[in-house]
Amino acid sequence: MDIHSDHFTLFGLPIGFAIDRHALDRAYRALQSEVHPDRFVSAGAAEQRRAMQWATKANEAYRVLRDPLQRAIYLCALEGDDPKDERRTDMPQDFLMAQLEWRETLDAARDAKDRDALEGLRTELDARRAALVAEVHDAIDRDDDVAKASALVRQWLFVERFGEDVHAALDRDAASVA
Amino acid sequence: MALLQISEPGMAPAPHQRRLAVGIDLGTTNSLVATVRNGVAEALPDEEGRVLLPSAVRYRDDGTASIGHDALANRASDPRNTIVSVKRLMGRGRSEIGSDHEIARRYDLVDGRADESDQIRIATRAGIKSPVEVSAEILATLRQRAEDTLGDELVGAVITVPAYFDDAQRQATKDAARLAGLNVLRLLNEPTAAAVAYGLDNAVEGTYAVYDLGGGTFDLSILKLTKGVFEVLATGGDTALGGDDFDARLADLALESANIDRSTLDDAEHARLAAHARAAKEELSDALIVDVVFDAGGSRRHASVSRDAFARATADLVERTAVVARRTLRDAGLAAADVRGVVLVGGATRMPHVRTAVEALFGRAPLTDLDPDRVVALGAALQANALSGNRPAGSDDWLLLDVLPLSLGVETMGGLVEKIIARNSTIPVARAQEFTTFKDGQSAMAIHVVQGERELVSDCRSLARFELRGIPPMVAGAARIRVTYQVDADGLLSVTAEELATNVAAHVVVKPSYGLGDDEVARMLRESFDAADSDMRARALREQQVEAGRLVAATESALATDAALLDDAEVRTMRCQLDATRAAAAGGDHAAIKDAIDALARGTERFAALRMDAGVRRALAGKRLDEIV
């Protein structure tokens, strides 16, 4: 294990989508306790630079691994199929149809200031996200099918971004009521 | 067992001598210095027993400055040469202050030359002063107080800044500390410092909020405390909201109730009214109604202001803090009910209606058992003590993990911002981005870095323009330039660039938008050298000797534990460099010492990397360094 190791190896964790959150938190704190620049304030410049590199790496790895979506993207990229590769835009037909319907529902609800419709949309997105998480989990940890996982993660990315639009619409609605 | 370490005669500090380090809270209204003595953090008083130093600097006729109580006492008679609340101007641009702004009315601001940065410059009778220089006077006064009290030079200081300070404001604070002759161990966020003082005192665990309403700034931080790790989950704030604004509202109320137009007051009367308004605000924390006596147009006036009227007149200010608190909770992914306690910091949190608002916001009474004026400095002192190597082994060990308060981005086509590093990222943090050239043979490019959450460049703060030079000539689009944005543990940004096809490191030239350039800081330091030439030369020599001693000690101690990581030849080379550094330090040539230090630093680079990697492996094997024999 060195500074160029993958994020899982860095924290001594098995590579996979399911993660032991307590082990991750423990390993992160143990590593930062060792390498954080605060530990090297009276060291030479070389050690200080090295400490900053290590602490930066630990923060980045922790940020990615503790977030399920970031972790899934990272795992796919690690296996050579980056879901954020812009050349990969293929989506299954039924998901494209669902996207169109969601967009229409959002636009209509926003125009009509229909809070119930917005809440309904949010519930539907939450359910879709939960289903995608379970599918990604199976694709990576059970089937070892990176291509399938990467395709699912692209859908998940859409759900996440669209969910932000729905949140923003709900916030605007709350602000106009208040 | 580790070998005993024996130092060269005359080089090492006496056994058990503590390395003197302090924490400084550089506040808008008041500043103070604290240190750890006998394991307890305490604020250091001046000769008259006063701990708080008013953050006021008055430039006298003879060009010297008076700082603190004396400056404040003379403010009314000399308002244009007495600078108060200078913290509000740190890292701000002249172009950001309109001519009708209160600051522009209070002082004579000068425009910089076109080739200078946009920082604020104030004309005083002692010459043109930047906020950095004014702040340096305050810091130097506290440094002197600490050295006089503790009887020796300081090895360094932790300086606190509002958590919501942007890069320019942080850099300005660090520059001020350098000008004041302080070695900055770390810039520490004020709410985090308060959490350290509170958390260590009470051995708490769980999620806490720190509500910090100072004289001129507001911060709200949410921290998770777990087994000695203080992890900031999210931070939010407003660097232009504080007790000063409440004072101004109270002055307005007094004028209104006495039916006086503000324009009838002269400079001195304004200054006196501001002072009386502050006193009245403090009185209203205990009394239900106060009398404000002031002069307007040469005649004495009376006004009475009730606590209720004051609360109504400032309700919007309090609501602004609540908006920040709600947004920060959401950033942390938490509800108010998840917070186990709210720590109050800053004198302005003594106002009863502020406390009521905090209680309503979090659904629980805030914790008020610490002095809100001192808690930040005490936390900073604890951290300074730990950073300077006085950290007691074992249970008192702790670690702070702080965050970047505002997103960093770069300008793209059409004046839009592309986010590079998101707010609330744990620091240190780095991101890389690749660019290519637009024209054949292009050898330079410019990157405009901004900070803020908005989508338009014009709505964010401009931090700096980085010019990359020395890109090898290639056809358009062939160069691949990787630009790395690194934010260090002080929350300060640096930018490096590399051409990937040829591995040429492009040269980065930084043009800060508001602060001082490196050469400007160097010039100021040089000028202060000239002012007291022999004195400063002696100081420079002493500083290099201390630095040499520090590096020699660190290297010796590293060799004593980890020499096995090196081969014999490497150990011999390092020992030669150690001898050379010791010999140079014994002489009186500070340039020669610096050369020896640089050579030793270069020689230990690989050793440092090896030691760090070994430390990491030990950490992850579940062992602590002190368990390894």
Side-chain angles (χ1 to χ4, degrees):
Chain A
M1 192 271 302
D2 62 36
I3 199 161
H4 303 295
S5 299
D6 70 80
H7 296 346
F8 293 94
T9 309
L10 184 74
F11 292 128
L13 298 169
I15 296 180
F17 183 70
I19 203 159
D20 177 347
R21 183 60 202 261
H22 286 291
L24 172 64
D25 289 353
R26 255 198 322 271
Y28 169 67
R29 293 197 196 107
L31 184 55
Q32 281 294 17
S33 295
E34 201 64 36
V35 303
H36 194 277
D38 282 358
R39 302 292 199 230
F40 296 89
V41 166
S42 29
E47 268 179 289
Q48 289 185 346
R49 201 161 45 244
R50 191 77 177 167
M52 187 164 73
Q53 287 165 354
W54 267 109
T56 299
K57 165 90 177 180
N59 282 334
E60 171 65 12
Y62 186 56
R63 179 187 73 83
V64 168
L65 293 195
R66 72 184 162 183
D67 179 77
L69 176 56
Q70 295 301 323
R71 188 165 70 236
I73 295 170
Y74 179 74
L75 272 165
C76 292
L78 206 57
E79 302 293 326
D81 195 339
D82 186 352
K84 293 183 103 170
D85 187 332
E86 280 157 15
R87 287 164 298 187
R88 300 289 303 270
T89 50
D90 49 310
M91 288 268 187
Q93 194 64 32
D94 61 333
F95 190 78
L96 288 171
M97 290 306 291
Q99 276 188 27
L100 278 175
E101 275 170 38
W102 289 334
R103 279 259 169 249
E104 282 166 15
T105 310
L106 174 61
D107 290 345
R110 209 158 28 192
D111 291 345
K113 297 199 187 323
D114 185 346
R115 198 171 173 82
D116 289 343
L118 288 173
E119 294 283 8
L121 189 52
R122 180 159 73 178
T123 310
E124 195 183 333
L125 286 171
D126 286 347
R128 176 65 73 129
R129 184 189 296 106
L132 282 168
V133 171
E135 286 181 71
V136 167
H137 180 217
D138 286 346
I140 297 175
D141 288 358
R142 190 190 61 197
D143 306 335
D144 201 12
D145 187 343
V146 181
K148 185 178 168 198
S150 188
L152 290 165
V153 168
R154 277 194 293 280
Q155 296 179 31
W156 187 354
L157 272 164
F158 175 85
V159 168
E160 215 57 52
R161 286 191 203 120
F162 185 70
E164 281 168 25
D165 292 349
V166 176
H167 263 286
L170 276 164
D171 279 354
R172 261 198 300 278
D173 188 57
S176 66
V177 168
Chain B
M1 196 190 114
L3 293 172
L4 287 176
Q5 291 175 251
I6 298 174
S7 53
E8 189 85 353
M11 274 296 299
H16 310 304
Q17 186 181 339
R18 299 181 66 77
R19 297 161 54 81
L20 297 177
V22 296
I24 295 181
D25 176 359
L26 180 62
T28 307
T29 316
N30 293 299
S31 299
L32 66 156
V33 57
T35 195
V36 174
R37 283 199 281 194
N38 307 317
V40 180
E42 52 180 310
L44 301 177
D46 65 8
E47 284 166 350
E48 295 175 48
R50 300 171 299 199
V51 163
L52 299 184
L53 176 75
S55 301
V57 176
R58 176 172 169 244
Y59 292 98
R60 297 199 201 88
D61 284 328
D62 61 0
T64 61
S66 72
I67 292 114
H69 295 278
D70 189 36
L72 206 55
N74 288 295
R75 183 186 170 201
S77 64
D78 191 14
R80 297 195 93 74
N81 291 296
T82 308
I83 319 296
V84 297
S85 298
V86 68
K87 187 175 180 178
R88 299 193 104 161
L89 308 181
M90 292 292 269
R92 306 293 302 274
R94 172 70 182 91
S95 58
E96 294 178 303
I97 308 279
S99 57
D100 59 338
H101 194 281
E102 176 234 342
I103 303 292
R105 276 189 277 128
R106 208 196 295 160
Y107 304 115
D108 299 317
L109 301 186
V110 228
D111 291 323
R113 294 190 315 268
D115 61 331
E116 291 177 320
S117 82
D118 186 39
Q119 71 157 320
I120 291 166
R121 294 170 177 80
I122 305 167
T124 72
R125 67 162 70 89
I128 292 171
K129 300 291 174 187
S130 66
V132 168
E133 290 165 283
V134 178
S135 299
E137 297 280 5
I138 299 165
L139 289 170
T141 305
L142 292 172
R143 185 191 116 214
Q144 197 61 51
R145 181 193 289 182
E147 290 184 348
D148 290 349
T149 311
L150 303 172
D152 200 356
E153 277 182 33
L154 304 177
V155 297
V158 168
I159 316 279
T160 62
V161 289
Y164 216 56
F165 254 17
D166 65 29
D167 192 87
Q169 294 168 306
R170 283 167 198 272
Q171 189 60 58
T173 306
K174 200 168 183 180
D175 289 342
R178 277 171 66 197
L179 267 185
L182 285 163
N183 171 32
V184 180
L185 299 171
R186 183 71 71 231
L187 295 178
L188 178 61
N189 290 329
E190 287 160 10
T192 310
V196 169
Y198 182 82
L200 294 178
D201 222 30
N202 298 277
V204 296
E205 296 262 305
T207 304
Y208 281 76
V210 179
Y211 181 102
D212 180 356
L213 188 60
T217 58
F218 171 67
D219 280 332
L220 192 117
S221 285
I222 297 170
L223 296 100
K224 191 170 76 182
L225 281 64
T226 323
K227 297 188 181 71
V229 179
F230 294 73
E231 191 179 350
V232 179
L233 300 178
T235 198
D238 188 333
T239 54
L241 174 63
D244 281 4
D245 300 295
F246 289 77
D247 297 351
R249 292 287 170 86
L250 203 142
D252 287 342
L253 274 181
L255 289 167
E256 200 180 296
S257 123
N259 215 0
I260 306 280
D261 192 296
R262 193 178 258 283
S263 62
T264 59
L265 274 67
D266 64 25
D267 282 355
E269 287 171 346
H270 264 132
R272 276 201 298 276
L273 174 60
H276 288 149
R278 173 171 302 159
K281 175 191 73 178
E282 285 163 12
E283 270 181 64
L284 273 183
S285 293
D286 298 315
L288 291 174
I289 193 157
V290 286
D291 267 335
V292 187
V293 181
F294 61 99
D295 297 325
S299 57
R300 176 74 29 119
R301 306 286 179 166
H302 290 265
S304 71
V305 175
S306 73
R307 184 190 281 182
D308 283 347
F310 179 54
R312 273 197 305 277
T314 52
D316 63 312
L317 299 178
V318 178
E319 176 56 24
R320 271 164 69 188
T321 70
V323 169
V324 168
R326 283 192 286 266
R327 199 197 75 177
T328 310
L329 275 168
R330 192 158 128 187
D331 279 355
L334 295 173
D338 298 326
V339 174
R340 283 183 60 179
V342 187
V343 179
L344 291 185
V345 184
T349 59
R350 290 198 174 91
M351 287 183 278
H353 67 298
V354 169
R355 293 194 171 185
T356 310
V358 173
E359 184 164 351
L361 195 57
F362 290 95
R364 60 177 66 238
L367 305 160
T368 54
D369 44 340
L370 284 170
D371 180 345
D373 287 325
R374 297 190 190 190
V375 58
V376 167
L378 297 178
L382 289 163
Q383 181 68 352
N385 189 54
L387 294 184
S388 60
N390 297 325
R391 184 188 291 272
S395 61
D396 280 355
D397 211 3
W398 73 86
L399 181 71
L400 310 186
L401 298 168
D402 222 311
V403 300
L404 180 72
L406 293 148
S407 301
L408 286 170
V410 291
E411 176 169 355
T412 61
M413 294 293 182
L416 295 175
V417 178
E418 186 186 329
K419 294 257 169 70
I420 302 284
I421 303 179
R423 72 165 184 267
N424 292 322
S425 296
T426 307
I427 52 172
V429 59
R431 285 280 182 285
Q433 213 186 12
E434 281 183 27
F435 294 93
T436 191
T437 46
F438 181 67
K439 280 185 189 163
D440 290 348
Q442 183 178 341
S443 67
M445 61 172 66
I447 295 169
H448 184 202
V449 181
V450 299
Q451 194 163 24
E453 309 310 320
R454 307 280 294 277
E455 283 170 17
L456 291 177
V457 167
S458 51
D459 293 330
C460 290
R461 288 217 78 207
S462 170
L463 288 187
R465 288 171 199 276
F466 295 90
E467 280 179 22
L468 310 181
R469 293 183 189 154
I471 299 168
M474 278 182 257
V475 293
R480 280 174 58 221
I481 296 124
R482 175 186 284 161
V483 177
T484 305
Y485 309 85
Q486 171 83 57
V487 178
D488 66 15
D490 289 326
L492 290 172
L493 171 73
S494 62
V495 174
T496 50
E498 185 188 17
E499 204 293 300
L500 295 175
T502 56
N503 277 329
V504 173
H507 183 51
V508 181
V509 183
V510 187
K511 286 187 179 164
S513 302
Y514 299 109
L516 304 166
D518 264 355
D519 42 346
E520 250 180 304
V521 176
R523 178 182 55 75
M524 285 179 184
L525 282 169
R526 218 166 35 242
E527 282 169 5
S528 62
F529 269 77
D530 293 342
D533 195 36
S534 58
D535 210 42
M536 293 309 286
R537 224 183 283 277
R539 189 177 175 93
L541 174 62
R542 172 88 191 117
E543 274 170 9
Q544 288 298 342
Q545 283 171 332
V546 169
E547 176 65 18
R550 197 175 63 80
L551 189 59
V552 166
T555 310
E556 289 280 15
S557 134
L559 276 175
T561 50
D562 290 321
L565 294 170
L566 300 172
D567 63 35
D568 289 350
E570 285 174 311
V571 174
R572 270 197 304 278
T573 310
M574 211 169 288
R575 292 228 176 271
C576 286
Q577 285 167 333
L578 277 170
D579 289 341
T581 309
R582 266 192 292 260
D589 180 356
H590 86 263
I593 305 175
K594 188 169 187 319
D595 288 346
I597 288 173
D598 289 346
L600 180 56
R602 274 193 307 277
T604 54
E605 193 132 348
R606 199 179 90 84
F607 187 36
L610 290 172
R611 267 168 51 77
M612 187 91 54
D613 295 358
V616 169
R617 280 192 295 274
R618 278 188 297 242
L620 293 179
K623 291 178 180 170
R624 293 186 37 82
L625 260 184
D626 49 19
E627 290 169 7
I628 311 280
V629 181

